[in-house]
Amino acid sequence: RGRPHLTDSPDLFRALGIMQVFSEILKSGGLDQLGPYLPHILELAQRLPHNSSLSSHTLIRKYAIKVSGRVGLKLLPNTPTNRVIARTLHGETIAINEGFVEDVESEIDIPDEIEGIVDDMLNGLRDRDTTIRWSAAKYIARIGARVTRNFTDQLLDAILDIYQVHYVEGGELNPAAEPSWHGATLACAEFARQSLIAQDKLPTTINWLMKALFFDVRKGAHSIGSNVRDAACYFLWSLPRTLDSDKMKPYATTLAQSLLTVALFDREVHIRRAASAAFQENVGRMGLFPHGIDVLKWTDFFGVGVRHNAFLISAPEVARHIVYRDTLFNHLVEKTLKHWDPAMRSIGAEALKELCKPDVYVLAPPIIAKLIFELIDRLTESTIRGYKNDLLLEAICLLISSSASHAALDLRPDLGVKKPPKWRSILDISLSHRSDNVQHAASQVIGALSGLRSKLRTTNPAVQQGMTRVLGFVGSSKYPQGIRKTIQCLIDIVKRDATKRSTGGYCVEARRNAYNSMARLLQTLQPIIFEELESGLFRNILNSFVDGLDDYEVDERGDVGSWVRIACIKGLSSITQLILTSQDPRRYDWLPADLYRQIWAELVKQGAERLDNVRAEVGRQIIQLFRLVKTLPSSDSAWIPEGIQTMETLFIAEVDTGEGWNESSWLFPRIVQLLQIEAYRQHLVRGIVLSIGSRNESTNRPASTALTAYLLERQVKVPQEHIIEEVFKILLDLARNNSTSNTVIIPVLSTFDQLIEAGLAVEAAKSPEGLILLEELLNFVGVRVERLKNVQRINMSMRVVIQLLAVPETFEKAKAYLPSFLGHAFPKVREETGEFLYFVLQSQDVPGGDSIEPILLETDWAGPDYAISVQSVITNME
């Protein structure tokens, strides 16, 4: 009844059900019950792949293989005819079915159907789906266990022939070979598990499996072959479980070398672990692998689980054993360094270095001879300037920077040629390359100072970035002649005028690189810095770094000035540490006390910034400076910053790693407490203002909440300090000094808005000084409002005026400025003013509030008839 559904019908689900029923019946039914039906079931299973509407489905083909294989097992004797060998964990060899084999093999009669079934299995080994190849491998091995030894050898020959279809000796492997090689390798592994590989077949089988162990072929943007390598590891894991140690001995060293190579240097973690398991199985059951127990300490499941550990920690330890060293070196040079994945090439190069370290003068020269033979000079111009040349240029620059020296340059044969050497033209190309990685590699190549300053005058941002990187490497403690000019050149790059713009028109990346280069130069010159530089130049460097902390440039990428600020934070920290650790008596003149205090204050300000990554960097650098200061002798008390005990309690007692600074809810309740330290107060307020003015609610809300809570608490505890008046004065001075900069004014007014809303204006008005500050604030926000064009600034000024209506002492003055907003020329401003005034009247006690509310609700503030309503609002407030 199932025939038409399997041969003619396209009904997929019915066909799947029928094949699954056949599979289960054949699994549990007896031969006496199924015998008459086996030829019919086999015929249906073998015809199924010819049904075009069903054969494309994976499960259909899988069940066809299962049914065909189980029919074959039913047609053959139930007792295995080959002598199955097993090994115990103690190394003892056991023949599981000894005594049955000779009697059965002399009587067996192999049915004709087996040949067709074997063909099905061999075709299944080449299928495109892994599950089908896996089923075919298991069933062909089970059939091999029930036929004569001669037939089993023929099956193994047929499996090994699969390898040759896409293989050419000495040529590259074909990606199309991947399915067939995987199926053949799985079948060999199953044969090995059941001890079906004869002694005379073992050399050929192992030879092919060694090739499968390194099957790695690039296909498009990725590689294929990991399943082939995994199956090869499975074969080598199965082999010692059934093979006699005497038969295994001739191949032990080769297998050990190959397995360790894969366990250490394969790209995929599951392959490394599979090879490690196979190596461990061989060591435990055979005991033939050289130094097996010692090597296993470094190549266990965890040792090879992380690529970095496998390449750079485990591999050098394994290479200490000479028997494995050459194999590891050859694989790195011939395979890993030519791998398609750049990450593999990079870590392969690092591994080569680590392997050579124990005896570099003996091990390195042969490797270098293989890798470098006029390598740079043999590169063609088209290759250097070709498409996607970034990886090549990066590698060349790293090679030049690591091998170039004055002696090497003097010995070059092309010095007498007028044309620049090839490495110089490569450096020029790399410096102006669009890739940041190439620029960074090129910057490590030490070049002559001549020509660099003229190149910096270009308007090309890529060239600016590359050249400012280079200037950080051109000076050294051995050749400091041009260091002063280099530093002055870098200072000129980052110098800004009164408008806070770079005077040379340098891009933000160039300025960032210039700061990094200055810090790097000073670190390089540390041993001779007091001899080669002057104190005035050094202070200019520090002042330029302090000035860079005010870089708030914004473009379409966001706050790109933060790149400069982070570079300055790192630079100030490293330069300060350089002076603090020096024993030279001139250090106090080079870093005066006032400049040292300013550096700490600027770092605290950046610690209250709006960007998480900036605050996190400040936290790391302050922790480093704090730890250094704590180690200084008592004679260096001048280097102890103000409030060090308070900072230790706030930031280091709980977390001593600098973590938490990027978490607003953790940081702001702590950092606002530094307002009690007068040296930090002004800078800290400026930083908090920027956070409160941030559009990020996760930053501005914790900042404003922490500031208001601390000021109210401090005012109660220490009233004589007048902390609220002090903060208001700092904010007002900041607004006055930046009256034309909306990027400063708007955050300041936003801060005033938050503080007044929290009731701090009421507290400030209780003192004469505080009341004067509030009146000056009203004058600042209320005068000449009609001249302002920025709606956001106008609205923030309006909020301050309206909120001060609720303070009795400032009511009259605030009321005088209210018409400027209610009657503003911008309809949007009038609407916002009406809405906010209504909100304040609902929540605050303002004279005439009950009579004003209906007027506010009934007036169309965006329409033309608003003038009468403005007058009515003011009249009702009297």
Side-chain angles (χ1 to χ4, degrees):
R1 292 183 180 179
R3 186 188 302 273
H5 296 293
L6 296 177
T7 57
D8 303 324
S9 172
D11 189 344
L12 173 63
F13 294 105
R14 189 183 296 272
L16 281 174
I18 292 171
M19 292 304 294
Q20 188 171 5
V21 169
F22 281 157
S23 177
E24 294 301 323
I25 290 174
L26 289 168
K27 181 178 180 180
S28 56
L31 181 61
D32 53 342
Q33 299 169 313
L34 299 175
Y37 305 103
L38 291 179
H40 303 293
I41 296 174
L42 179 61
E43 180 188 1
L44 289 175
Q46 292 176 337
R47 290 180 61 181
L48 193 58
H50 301 290
N51 186 336
S52 58
S53 60
L54 298 176
S55 60
S56 61
H57 198 276
T58 301
L59 281 178
I60 289 290
R61 301 200 308 280
K62 178 181 178 181
Y63 280 126
I65 289 292
K66 280 184 175 292
V67 170
S68 182
R70 288 177 179 176
V71 169
L73 294 179
K74 291 295 182 184
L75 294 174
L76 291 170
N78 197 31
T79 304
T81 60
N82 285 307
R83 186 169 180 263
V84 178
I85 303 296
R87 293 178 57 80
T88 67
L89 289 174
H90 300 289
E92 300 171 353
T93 303
I94 302 173
I96 296 176
N97 57 342
E98 189 172 20
F100 298 97
V101 175
E102 293 182 2
D103 295 338
V104 174
E105 186 162 345
S106 61
E107 299 175 0
I108 190 170
D109 182 20
I110 299 176
D112 296 336
E113 291 86 353
I114 294 299
E115 184 176 350
I117 293 172
V118 168
D119 285 339
D120 293 339
M121 299 302 111
L122 292 174
N123 289 329
L125 294 178
R126 302 184 182 94
D127 196 277
R128 65 177 181 271
D129 288 314
T130 301
T131 56
I132 296 169
R133 299 195 294 268
W134 184 235
S135 293
K138 289 189 290 186
Y139 281 107
I140 197 170
R142 292 171 185 174
I143 290 172
R146 298 193 181 191
V147 296
T148 62
R149 169 61 66 185
N150 182 49
F151 198 105
T152 301
D153 291 345
Q154 292 179 43
L155 289 178
L156 183 59
D157 289 338
I159 293 170
L160 296 179
D161 287 341
I162 296 175
Y163 287 112
Q164 300 183 20
V165 175
H166 296 285
Y167 181 77
V168 178
E169 188 68 37
E172 293 186 357
L173 291 169
N174 191 331
E178 188 253 353
S180 57
W181 275 55
H182 181 234
T185 307
L186 284 176
C188 289
E190 290 297 324
F191 268 59
R193 280 196 68 186
Q194 302 198 39
S195 188
L196 300 178
I197 302 178
Q199 177 67 23
D200 58 331
K201 300 291 182 183
L202 198 56
T204 306
T205 307
I206 289 179
N207 179 51
W208 282 113
L209 268 294
M210 287 298 96
K211 293 180 173 63
L213 192 60
F214 296 97
F215 189 102
D216 189 0
V217 183
R218 183 176 184 179
K219 184 177 181 182
H222 64 285
S223 66
I224 59 173
S226 62
N227 54 357
V228 179
R229 303 196 300 277
D230 186 58
C233 293
Y234 174 40
F235 169 83
L236 295 174
W237 176 86
S238 302
L239 212 56
R241 302 175 72 89
T242 56
L243 197 64
D244 187 85
S245 59
D246 293 333
K247 298 177 183 179
M248 188 78 162
K249 192 171 184 178
Y251 316 104
T253 301
T254 302
L255 293 178
Q257 292 170 341
S258 300
L259 278 174
L260 278 180
T261 300
V262 175
L264 293 170
F265 297 145
D266 198 277
R267 181 174 182 266
E268 311 299 335
V269 60
H270 66 281
I271 304 300
R272 295 198 298 273
R273 284 174 167 167
S276 171
F279 186 90
Q280 184 174 349
E281 191 75 12
N282 278 272
V283 170
R285 292 185 181 271
M286 293 289 187
L288 298 175
F289 284 6
H291 311 287
I293 299 298
D294 184 55
V295 168
L296 273 178
K297 293 188 301 184
W298 302 101
T299 59
D300 61 3
F301 180 86
F302 300 101
V304 300
V306 179
R307 186 188 294 175
H308 179 274
N309 290 345
F311 274 76
L312 305 182
I313 298 177
S314 298
E317 294 296 333
V318 174
R320 293 182 185 276
H321 303 291
I322 298 177
V323 66
Y324 299 118
R325 183 180 295 166
D326 289 343
T327 305
L328 298 180
F329 272 120
N330 290 337
H331 184 83
L332 286 173
V333 173
E334 300 296 332
K335 300 291 184 183
T336 309
L337 294 185
K338 301 175 184 177
H339 200 275
W340 64 270
D341 186 353
M344 285 291 291
R345 298 198 296 268
S346 176
I347 199 169
E350 293 182 49
L352 264 180
K353 180 189 74 173
E354 296 298 326
L355 263 62
C356 291
K357 271 186 177 179
D359 198 353
V360 66
Y361 294 106
V362 175
L363 299 175
I367 303 300
I368 295 174
K370 278 185 177 181
L371 295 176
I372 305 173
F373 178 70
E374 297 181 351
L375 177 61
I376 295 177
D377 289 338
R378 293 171 63 186
L379 292 171
T380 64
E381 193 72 13
S382 60
T383 303
I384 296 172
R385 297 182 179 273
Y387 180 62
K388 290 189 176 180
N389 60 349
D390 49 340
L391 293 177
L392 176 63
L393 289 177
E394 182 184 359
I396 295 172
C397 289
L398 292 174
L399 172 62
I400 296 172
S401 65
S402 62
S403 59
S405 66
H406 284 273
L409 293 176
D410 290 340
L411 293 173
R412 286 196 54 91
D414 55 11
L415 284 178
V417 182
K418 293 183 178 180
K419 190 173 76 169
K422 180 65 69 67
W423 68 266
R424 182 60 182 273
S425 62
I426 292 174
L427 178 59
D428 291 339
I429 295 170
S430 302
L431 289 174
S432 57
H433 198 275
R434 63 187 177 277
S435 169
D436 193 65
N437 290 336
V438 176
Q439 293 176 11
H440 183 71
S443 65
Q444 298 179 43
V445 182
I446 300 178
L449 284 176
S450 59
L452 293 184
R453 288 189 294 274
S454 62
K455 284 181 177 288
L456 276 168
R457 297 191 183 98
T458 179
T459 58
N460 186 332
V463 176
Q464 291 179 0
Q465 296 172 45
M467 300 310 292
T468 46
R469 284 181 186 274
V470 167
L471 289 177
F473 291 91
V474 294
S476 71
S477 57
K478 294 182 180 179
Y479 307 100
Q481 296 87 346
I483 195 66
R484 296 180 188 176
K485 292 183 179 179
T486 302
I487 290 177
Q488 189 57 54
C489 179
L490 292 169
I491 292 176
D492 291 341
I493 291 170
V494 301
K495 187 182 297 181
R496 298 186 299 162
D497 58 19
T499 63
K500 299 300 182 182
R501 294 181 179 273
S502 175
T503 56
Y506 294 99
C507 63
V508 66
E509 293 89 346
R511 300 200 300 275
R512 175 201 62 192
N513 294 346
Y515 281 115
N516 289 333
S517 293
M518 272 194 282
R520 187 180 296 110
L521 282 172
L522 294 181
Q523 291 296 328
T524 304
L525 292 175
Q526 182 175 6
I528 58 171
I529 190 170
F530 290 100
E531 287 73 28
E532 291 302 325
L533 297 185
E534 300 172 351
S535 60
L537 179 59
F538 185 81
R539 287 195 294 272
N540 286 342
I541 295 172
L542 286 175
N543 287 327
S544 69
F545 273 93
V546 171
D547 183 62
L549 293 176
D550 286 329
D551 193 323
Y552 289 93
E553 181 177 337
V554 177
D555 63 14
E556 66 277 1
R557 295 170 291 181
D559 184 4
V560 292
S562 64
W563 305 343
V564 174
R565 299 200 300 276
I566 289 175
C568 291
I569 292 166
K570 293 179 180 178
L572 282 172
S573 175
S574 66
I575 297 171
T576 304
Q577 291 178 57
L578 184 151
I579 295 296
L580 265 58
T581 55
S582 172
Q583 300 302 317
D584 195 291
R586 291 171 287 181
R587 64 187 186 277
Y588 295 104
D589 182 45
W590 283 48
L591 182 56
D594 57 342
L595 183 54
Y596 181 66
R597 288 193 294 270
Q598 185 182 2
I599 290 173
W600 273 96
E602 291 287 351
L603 289 176
V604 169
K605 176 212 168 191
Q606 294 296 322
E609 276 275 12
R610 61 192 175 199
L611 295 183
D612 296 349
N613 58 337
V614 176
R615 297 198 305 271
E617 190 59 48
V618 171
R620 286 189 287 267
Q621 300 306 327
I622 281 184
I623 295 299
Q624 289 183 20
L625 287 171
F626 180 83
R627 289 173 176 168
L628 177 58
V629 168
K630 295 287 284 186
T631 62
L632 294 177
S634 57
S635 58
D636 286 338
S637 58
W639 301 126
I640 298 177
E642 295 187 50
I644 189 171
Q645 297 299 331
T646 303
M647 285 194 284
E648 182 177 10
T649 303
L650 293 174
F651 304 118
I652 301 173
E654 296 182 15
V655 182
D656 63 352
T657 60
E659 297 178 358
W661 284 70
N662 59 332
E663 295 291 337
S664 304
S665 57
W666 181 90
L667 174 71
F668 284 107
R670 289 169 169 79
I671 202 167
V672 294
Q673 298 182 48
L674 295 182
L675 289 170
Q676 63 186 285
I677 304 172
E678 188 175 356
Y680 302 144
R681 187 175 296 157
Q682 184 172 352
H683 291 82
L684 183 56
V685 168
R686 292 173 60 194
I688 295 174
V689 162
L690 294 175
S691 292
I692 294 177
S694 169
R695 296 180 181 178
N696 188 348
E697 190 172 344
S698 63
T699 300
N700 61 39
R701 187 174 294 276
S704 61
T705 302
L707 179 62
T708 54
Y710 175 75
L711 292 178
L712 290 171
E713 179 185 359
R714 187 74 178 175
Q715 185 76 7
V716 173
K717 289 184 177 180
V718 192
Q720 67 276 14
E721 191 176 61
H722 301 290
I723 186 68
I724 294 178
E725 290 90 330
E726 289 293 324
V727 172
F728 274 28
K729 185 177 186 305
I730 293 171
L731 290 172
L732 191 56
D733 289 342
L734 183 60
R736 286 169 174 165
N737 296 333
N738 298 273
S739 59
T740 60
S741 175
N742 290 327
T743 57
V744 176
I745 291 294
I746 292 173
V748 170
L749 296 180
S750 177
T751 305
F752 269 123
D753 178 43
Q754 299 282 345
L755 297 179
I756 295 171
E757 184 179 4
L760 271 73
V762 175
E763 294 294 327
K766 294 177 181 178
S767 68
E769 296 83 2
L771 182 57
I772 292 173
L773 286 172
L774 292 177
E775 290 176 348
E776 290 178 352
L777 173 61
L778 281 169
N779 290 333
F780 180 81
V781 299
V783 175
R784 293 190 292 274
V785 176
E786 65 279 356
R787 296 185 181 182
L788 300 177
K789 303 300 181 184
N790 188 289
V791 174
Q792 188 179 3
R793 176 173 175 176
I794 298 171
N795 284 335
M796 293 309 305
S797 300
M798 170 269 294
R799 291 174 67 92
V800 171
V801 169
I802 291 178
Q803 293 215 73
L804 287 176
L805 288 171
V807 180
E809 293 83 353
T810 59
F811 171 76
E812 290 296 335
K813 196 171 188 66
K815 184 182 72 172
Y817 290 120
L818 184 59
S820 299
F821 299 99
L822 276 176
H824 199 277
F826 294 166
K828 185 172 181 62
V829 173
R830 298 197 300 270
E831 281 188 318
E832 292 283 344
T833 304
E835 289 180 9
F836 189 68
L837 180 58
Y838 181 81
F839 171 78
V840 171
L841 294 176
Q842 290 285 310
S843 56
Q844 302 286 341
D845 185 15
V846 177
D850 293 338
S851 58
I852 295 172
E853 289 179 10
I855 302 174
L856 296 174
L857 292 174
E858 294 169 3
T859 301
D860 179 13
W861 293 103
D865 303 324
Y866 60 87
I868 298 176
S869 298
V870 174
Q871 186 60 40
S872 299
V873 169
I874 301 302
T875 303
N876 280 278
M877 281 187 176
E878 297 176 353

